[in-house]
Amino acid sequence: MIVDCAIYQDGRRTAGPDDFSQALEKARRSDDAFLWIGLHEPTEREFDLVSQEFGLHPLAVEDALRAHQRPKLEVYDDSLFAVLKPVVYEPENDAVSADELMIFIGDSFVVTVRHGESAPLSDVRSRLEAEPEILAHGPTAVLYAISDAVVDHYIDVAGELQVDLEELETEVFAPTSGPGGSSNTAASIYTFKRQVLEFRRATGPLTAPMTRLAGAGVPFVHTEAQPFFRDVADHLTRVNEQVEGLDRLLSDILSAHLAQMGVRQNDDMRKISAWAAMAAVPTMVAGIYGMNFDHMPELHWAWTYPAVILFMTLAVVGLHRQFKRRGWL
């Protein structure tokens, strides 16, 4: 559905025809005006009307309708097509989810198609309308403002993930509180890695489009905007470095956790072996004297039984002291 449709002239919102085809004609009659149409999850029938009127390329229209696209920048004869993936951090379950935002820029028009709820279009439109000197630069200003808002939010999400990573580190290197602590920690690490991967899918592929916009020769983009897109690209580079750092640290944490589990298992096996060795001595002696033979030494001596008991006790105590000294118990 069409969320908003407005003509902007000299950076200020003006009244225009309700029909967007007539509004586009009005915008094109003036050199300092353009039409901005915002759509939210349009149906194929709804978007056909827009695509035919604005002359959008069929491949870009197909991408805008189906969503599930990687961030990219495509140049067609009559328009420029950009795909961004805004992300949202959900503090309730420490999860990262990504939506999609498509932007068409052409001769005196901007068409934005939003899939999901996290795209910051309403805030961007309100901020631009409050700064007409920026909006006066036309569709290029809209593309820059949206890209800047999306990448700035990446920085916020990266900060939240950094906090979660520090909490996870504390959990990994803390003593295990129960029998299921190790499995729960491993599950938390893998879940976190999936969140970082989801974030990386949004930030990584966007580097090439932002670098291209920061250079020269991109149609429908003013050359004066290159320094601003370069600033967005710099911020995106910082985010990608943070994401790579998070991924590396998660791999290190997982390796440390697995090493800790191996050490704990070795300690448990040493304790079990020590107790088994102490139990083996009286078992062996009792087994020998439990054999049913008539001719065995010391069977009929009065002090044999207490002597054997004393021997087994001394042997077990000696083994216990040895294992205790070696740190096995």
Side-chain angles (χ1 to χ4, degrees), residues 111-178:
V111 177
T112 54
V113 182
R114 176 166 55 96
H115 291 270
E117 303 295 334
S118 64
L121 287 183
S122 58
D123 295 338
V124 170
R125 189 186 286 261
S126 300
R127 188 170 69 252
L128 284 175
E129 290 179 353
E131 299 176 342
E133 66 279 1
I134 297 178
L135 196 55
H137 291 86
T140 302
V142 177
L143 178 60
Y144 161 72
I146 294 175
S147 303
D148 185 59
V150 170
V151 173
D152 283 348
H153 192 60
Y154 287 166
I155 297 175
D156 297 336
V157 174
E160 296 288 349
L161 291 177
Q162 183 66 42
V163 173
D164 290 344
L165 179 64
E166 293 173 358
E167 295 176 354
L168 185 60
E169 284 180 323
T170 302
E171 178 182 350
V172 168
F173 294 106
T176 305
S177 57

Side-chain angles (χ1 to χ4, degrees), residues 178-258:
S182 297
S183 60
N184 292 337
T185 302
S188 299
I189 295 173
Y190 277 112
T191 301
F192 201 108
K193 283 187 73 71
R194 290 185 65 87
Q195 302 303 325
V196 173
L197 177 61
E198 182 71 17
F199 191 28
R200 197 170 191 170
R201 287 173 179 168
T203 63
L206 189 59
T207 301
M210 287 297 107
T211 303
R212 188 176 179 185
L213 288 171
V218 180
F220 308 104
V221 176
H222 295 308
T223 57
E224 294 84 358
Q226 292 177 17
F228 298 95
F229 284 110
R230 194 176 302 120
D231 181 67
V232 176
D234 290 341
H235 290 174
L236 183 61
T237 299
R238 190 176 78 182
V239 172
N240 284 325
E241 290 174 351
Q242 286 183 277
V243 174
E244 291 178 3
L246 289 172
D247 191 53
R248 286 196 300 268
L249 283 173
L250 279 172
S251 298
D252 293 341
I253 290 174
L254 180 59
S255 299
H257 176 63
L258 295 177

Side-chain angles (χ1 to χ4, degrees), residues 82-139:
V83 179
L84 292 85
K85 293 181 75 71
V87 297
V88 60
Y89 176 81
E90 301 172 4
E92 297 81 10
N93 50 8
D94 296 333
V96 174
S97 60
D99 294 330
E100 292 192 28
L101 176 60
M102 288 77 171
I103 308 171
F104 295 87
I105 291 180
D107 181 19
S108 302
F109 72 84
V110 177
V111 177
T112 54
V113 182
R114 176 166 55 96
H115 291 270
E117 303 295 334
S118 64
L121 287 183
S122 58
D123 295 338
V124 170
R125 189 186 286 261
S126 300
R127 188 170 69 252
L128 284 175
E129 290 179 353
E131 299 176 342
E133 66 279 1
I134 297 178
L135 196 55
H137 291 86

Side-chain angles (χ1 to χ4, degrees), residues 4 11 37 45 65 68 70 98 125 140-141 143 173 226 298-299:
D4 200 351
I37 296 180
R45 182 173 177 275
L65 287 173
H68 303 293
R70 286 166 53 90
R125 189 186 286 261
T140 302
L143 178 60
F173 294 106
Q226 292 177 17
E298 301 102 13
L299 279 179

